[in-house]
């Protein structure tokens, strides 16, 4: 069927062969992050979600993004012509929305190649039952999912640790039942080999601590003299691991630090050295150099998509049900299954009173053993003897499976090469910025006759047709 490694390999191949050199990092001094959405089609949805086996499925990358940057709040624009958040996950998701808008146009034009089929309401559509979407990220999402325990066997506490075995203790154990034969073998092989190198947090933060380029994070424990009822406790996974160290399990000695900041006005990190540095489960904003950002962490956004879908509010006018991700695959990097589940699934699973069709999802979480060639850790290993300081690539690449201008390379939120004088012009805008996606939606609406539009758009069609 399909495995985590197959998804990762497909995305890496697409990155190497379909994306141009422009926008990619200089491997002598730069690194970046990669994310993508893969369409998986089979005869039935149940077979697609089953463990890998003999069933043949079709896998296709339909959206891809690279990037590590995020603009500060002072650079944000009310006109919607700038990309506020250029982290790879967000670029990939917005590229995916562009793909979905094109697929909806195909459906409305009565072309059979669309992923959508008619729903039960006038003007409404739904995803074909044999189609699912898998989200891939070369690194753990920044924010809560990156608050990963650092473990060390008791008999090696005084020995230096290596950075290669970057995976959380609970990662494969919790997900073991969801894995196919190939992934189960890899899970068992690496279950006891999870030592992670501790690194210093960068000031600019996005992928501060983790060697792979993820934002690192930490968990805080409740202090004995702390009377604040809101004080945080370390995760259950770390508590259990420390209680059972006598049985040969590694001892949790620290947590990764993240540059993502807690949302202003809410509960903050305790910043106690060691396990008590971070609080888990909190909403966080991405860090910036000096100018604070207003962009939520990728963990928080993935959690939101897991409840509201990836289609966005505009396209939802045409959909009977949201478009959800069925699985999330993370490349080889520091990873914790427990942290991923907590950040993306558990924080929102008790949300109720949602509109019809919206339901918190039990998304499948997997990790691949294949590492991204331009990740921070991969570049560091190649440049071991180099004195050149490694920096994140300033450009972001977006790619969508659409016929017209599928590719976009941006920097600082605008198309790469945009001068100050040209900011605000049509040529300066990315195809996935807010105003461009709205224009694509507007063209979709105006291409459909009044009687075929959903009820929610009929009264506003005159405005959209201007």
């Amino acid at each position: 069927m399909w495995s985590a490694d197959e998804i990762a390999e497909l995305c890496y191949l697409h990155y190497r062969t379909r994306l141009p050199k422009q926008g990619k990092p200089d491997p002598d001094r730069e690194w970046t992050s990669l994310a993508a959405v893969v369409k998986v089609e089979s005869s039935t949805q149940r077979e697609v979600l089953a463990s890998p086996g003999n069933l043949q499925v079709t896998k296709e990358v339909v959206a891809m993004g690279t990037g590590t940057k995020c603009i500060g709040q002072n650079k944000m624009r009310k006109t919607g012509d700038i990309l506020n958040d250029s982290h790879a996950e967000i670029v990939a998701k917005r590229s995916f929305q562009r793909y979905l808008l094109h697929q909806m146009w195909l459906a409305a034009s009565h072309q059979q190649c669309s992923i959508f089929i008619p729903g039960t309401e006038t003007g409404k559509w739904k995803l074909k039952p044999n189609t699912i979407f898998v989200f891939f990220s070369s690194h753990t999402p920044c924010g809560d999912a990156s608050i990963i325990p650092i473990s060390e066997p008791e008999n090696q506490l005084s020995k230096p640790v290596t950075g290669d075995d970057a995976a959380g203790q609970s990662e494969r154990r919790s997900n073991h039942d969801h894995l196919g034969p190939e992934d189960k073998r890899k899970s068992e092989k690496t279950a006891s080999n999870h030592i992670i190198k501790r690194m210093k947090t960068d000031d600019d933060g996005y992928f501060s601590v983790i060697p792979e380029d993820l934002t690192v994070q930490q968990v805080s424990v409740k202090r004995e003299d702390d009377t604040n009822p809101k004080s945080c406790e370390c995760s259950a996974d770390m508590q259990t691991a420390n209680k059972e160290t006598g049985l040969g399990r590694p001892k949790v000695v620290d947590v990764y630090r993240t540059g993502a900041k807690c949302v202003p006005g809410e509960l903050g990190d305790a910043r106690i050295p060691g396990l008590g540095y971070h609080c888990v489960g909190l909403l966080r904003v991405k860090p910036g150099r000096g100018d604070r950002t207003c962009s939520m962490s990728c963990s928080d956004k993935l959690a939101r998509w897991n409840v509201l879908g990836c289609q966005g509010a505009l396209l939802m006018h045409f959909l009977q049900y949201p478009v959800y991700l069925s699985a999330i695959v993370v490349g080889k990097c520091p990873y914790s299954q427990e942290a991923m589940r907590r950040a993306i699934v558990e924080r929102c699973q008790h949300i109720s009173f949602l509109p019809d069709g919206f339901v918190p999802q039990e998304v499948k979480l997997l990790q691949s053993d294949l590492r991204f060639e331009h990740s921070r850790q991969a570049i560091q290993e190649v440049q071991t003897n180099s004195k050149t300081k490694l920096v994140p690539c300033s450009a972001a690449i977006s790619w969508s499976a659409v016929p017209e201008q599928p590719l976009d390379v941006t920097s600082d939120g605008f198309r790469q090469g945009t001068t100050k004088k040209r900011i605000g012009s049509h040529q300066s805008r990315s195809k996935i910025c807010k105003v461009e996606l709205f224009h694509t939606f507007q063209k979709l609406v105006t291409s459909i006759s009044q009687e075929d539009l959903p009820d929610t758009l009929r009264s506003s069609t005159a405005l959209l047709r201007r």
Side-chain angles (χ1 to χ4, degrees):
M1 241 270 315
W2 63 272
S3 68
D5 281 356
E6 289 175 344
I7 295 296
E9 188 174 23
L10 181 66
C11 294
Y12 295 155
L13 177 64
H14 191 94
Y15 173 82
R16 290 192 297 268
T17 60
R18 301 294 297 274
L19 267 58
K21 185 176 180 180
Q22 180 189 8
K24 289 182 179 178
D26 177 351
D28 291 331
R29 63 183 185 88
E30 293 179 326
W31 54 271
T32 194
S33 300
L34 175 71
V37 178
V38 177
K39 179 181 69 171
V40 180
E41 289 183 319
S42 71
S43 54
T44 67
Q45 186 177 22
R46 175 175 295 181
E47 290 170 323
V48 172
L49 290 173
S51 299
N54 296 325
L55 177 68
Q56 296 297 315
V57 298
T58 302
K59 301 182 292 294
E60 177 190 1
V61 176
V62 296
M64 179 167 281
T66 72
T68 65
K69 299 293 186 179
C70 188
I71 66 169
Q73 58 185 355
N74 291 328
K75 289 186 177 181
M76 296 176 70
R77 295 164 60 88
K78 295 181 180 179
T79 49
D81 58 356
I82 188 172
L83 287 179
N84 298 330
D85 189 341
S86 292
H87 277 215
E89 296 95 323
I90 313 308
V91 174
K93 186 259 189 179
R94 298 185 72 83
S95 300
F96 181 49
Q97 287 180 313
R98 191 178 175 209
Y99 164 79
L100 292 176
L101 283 165
H102 175 67
Q103 290 294 314
M104 184 56 68
W105 178 84
L106 291 177
S109 302
H110 306 290
Q111 302 190 36
Q112 293 182 351
C113 56
S114 175
I115 61 172
F116 296 114
I117 57 176
T120 57
E121 302 174 35
T122 301
K124 294 280 190 174
W125 302 81
K126 60 183 180 181
L127 195 64
K128 288 181 178 178
N130 65 328
T131 301
I132 67 166
F133 294 101
V134 177
F135 191 85
F136 173 77
S137 178
S138 64
H139 60 89
T140 303
C142 67
D144 198 57
S146 292
I147 301 181
I148 300 172
I150 299 177
S151 302
E152 227 175 354
E154 285 190 349
N155 61 355
Q156 294 184 16
L157 289 180
S158 60
K159 299 180 182 179
V161 296
T162 63
D164 238 5
D165 307 317
Q169 293 302 315
S170 63
E171 161 202 349
R172 323 206 183 235
R173 182 179 63 255
S174 300
N175 200 44
H176 193 269
D177 292 339
H178 295 287
L179 302 179
E182 180 183 347
D183 289 330
K184 283 185 179 179
R185 285 194 297 271
K186 292 176 181 177
S187 175
E188 293 164 357
K189 180 179 178 181
T190 60
S192 61
N193 193 22
H194 298 318
I195 305 171
I196 303 173
K197 183 177 180 180
R198 183 175 180 178
M199 300 176 66
K200 182 179 179 181
T201 304
D202 294 340
D203 292 335
D204 55 351
Y206 307 128
F207 306 95
S208 42
V209 190
I210 298 187
E212 176 64 27
D213 64 20
L214 351 148
T215 33
V216 211
Q217 342 194 353
Q218 309 100 37
V219 194
S220 68
V221 292
K222 187 174 181 180
R223 293 167 287 183
E224 293 181 359
D225 59 345
D226 195 344
T227 57
N228 182 0
K230 291 186 177 181
S231 61
C232 299
E233 298 183 3
C234 61
S235 67
D237 185 66
M238 289 189 294
Q239 292 174 336
T240 303
N242 281 342
K243 287 179 180 178
E244 297 180 1
T245 52
L247 300 178
R249 291 189 56 186
K251 180 180 180 181
V252 177
V253 296
D254 205 344
V255 288
Y256 278 115
R257 306 287 188 267
T258 181
K261 312 297 182 185
C262 297
V263 173
E266 299 296 329
L267 181 66
D269 292 318
R271 295 183 177 271
I272 303 171
L275 295 179
Y277 191 87
H278 279 306
C279 290
V280 297
L282 303 182
L283 296 175
R284 296 174 182 272
V285 293
K286 291 167 181 170
R289 279 190 177 275
D291 187 15
R292 188 165 191 148
T293 79
C294 292
S295 297
M296 301 302 293
S297 72
C298 290
S299 292
D300 297 335
K301 291 186 177 184
L302 277 163
R304 182 178 65 192
W305 305 340
N306 199 45
V307 177
L308 301 180
C310 294
Q311 71 289 325
L314 293 177
L315 191 58
M316 196 62 213
H317 283 285
F318 287 97
L319 293 173
Q320 193 161 335
Y321 307 104
V323 177
Y324 289 112
L325 300 171
S326 295
I328 298 174
V329 175
V330 176
K332 184 179 180 181
C333 64
Y335 179 92
S336 165
Q337 184 74 11
E338 185 243 359
M340 282 284 290
R341 178 169 175 76
R342 176 193 67 231
I344 298 173
V345 178
E346 293 179 354
R347 289 193 296 170
C348 299
Q349 66 183 171
H350 301 302
I351 292 178
S352 56
F353 302 107
L354 292 166
D356 290 343
F358 291 87
V359 179
Q361 300 295 295
E362 189 67 33
V363 63
K364 181 186 291 188
L365 304 172
L366 299 169
Q367 187 185 24
S368 167
D369 282 336
L370 303 180
R371 187 168 59 193
F372 179 43
E373 62 188 87
H374 286 157
S375 68
R376 185 173 186 172
Q377 186 178 11
I379 299 299
Q380 282 177 331
E381 290 186 1
V382 173
Q383 302 293 333
T384 302
N385 300 322
S386 175
K387 295 183 179 179
T388 304
K389 181 182 178 181
L390 297 182
V391 296
C393 181
S394 61
I397 306 174
S398 68
W399 181 92
S400 301
V402 297
E404 296 182 7
Q405 296 181 314
L407 195 69
D408 233 1
V409 180
T410 57
S411 181
D412 292 325
F414 294 107
R415 279 190 175 175
Q416 195 173 50
T418 298
T419 61
K420 287 186 178 180
K421 289 184 178 180
R422 301 195 67 176
I423 289 178
S425 67
H426 175 74
Q427 293 77 13
S428 70
R429 301 198 295 251
S430 165
K431 287 295 183 182
I432 59 171
C433 71
K434 291 179 182 178
V435 68
E436 284 295 318
L437 288 178
F438 176 74
H439 287 164
T440 303
F441 171 76
Q442 190 176 33
K443 291 178 182 178
L444 170 64
V445 173
T446 56
S447 70
I448 301 172
S449 61
Q450 182 81 8
E451 60 271 17
D452 291 332
L453 285 172
D455 292 339
T456 55
L457 289 176
R458 291 184 184 182
S459 60
S460 57
T461 305
L463 177 63
L464 290 171
R465 292 180 187 273
R466 289 179 183 177

